[in-house]
Amino acid sequence: TKYLEPRLLIVTDPRTDAQALKEASYASIPVIALCDTDSPTEHVDIAIPANNKGKESIALLYWLLAREVQYLRGTLSRSQPWDVMVDSFFWRDPEELMRQEEMD
């Protein structure tokens, strides 16, 4: 397999992902971070002000980001709705999903 250097790093919480931010700065990789009011912005190139604590908020932010990427790539027109539900971006515990499937 061919190793490819990442061109961009997107982090949910700069405080939690501090090591990744530091390593990205060494490699001159641009960083986009979802930042709350108390988030450190050292080594962050673009800070998106957001609530990065709640899972629903994080899911909505990544859904908006993914939709915008589709617009920019030209695979989705701004005049048509995106049929991917925001629920697809919620993190779900795999063990909990397996228990629910066993109950059904």
Side-chain angles (χ1 to χ4, degrees):
T1 60
K2 182 179 171 184
Y3 175 75
L4 296 174
E5 190 75 29
R7 297 187 326 192
L8 176 69
L9 177 65
I10 301 174
V11 296
T12 303
D13 187 358
R15 189 176 312 285
T16 305
D17 300 321
Q19 183 65 35
L21 289 174
K22 191 174 182 182
E23 292 177 14
S25 73
Y26 293 152
S28 297
I29 298 170
V31 175
I32 297 175
L34 305 178
C35 296
D36 208 347
T37 56
D38 65 342
S39 297
T41 56
E42 185 180 4
H43 306 302
V44 173
D45 296 301
I46 297 175
I48 299 174
N51 174 9
N52 61 5
K53 304 294 187 257
K55 70 177 185 176
E56 290 86 5
S57 175
I58 294 168
L60 179 60
L61 290 164
Y62 277 107
W63 182 84
L64 289 167
L65 190 60
R67 187 182 67 174
E68 190 62 27
V69 167
Q70 296 297 319
Y71 289 150
L72 294 174
R73 287 183 175 171
T75 57
L76 185 66
S77 168
R78 291 200 187 268
S79 62
Q80 72 184 74
W82 195 29
D83 58 355
V84 176
M85 294 181 59
V86 71
D87 297 0
S88 304
F89 289 79
F90 289 150
W91 183 83
R92 293 177 183 88
D93 184 11
E95 293 175 2
E96 184 179 328
L97 290 173
M98 289 174 54
R99 282 188 293 246
Q100 287 178 352
E101 288 176 5
E102 289 173 0
M103 293 174 73
D104 292 341

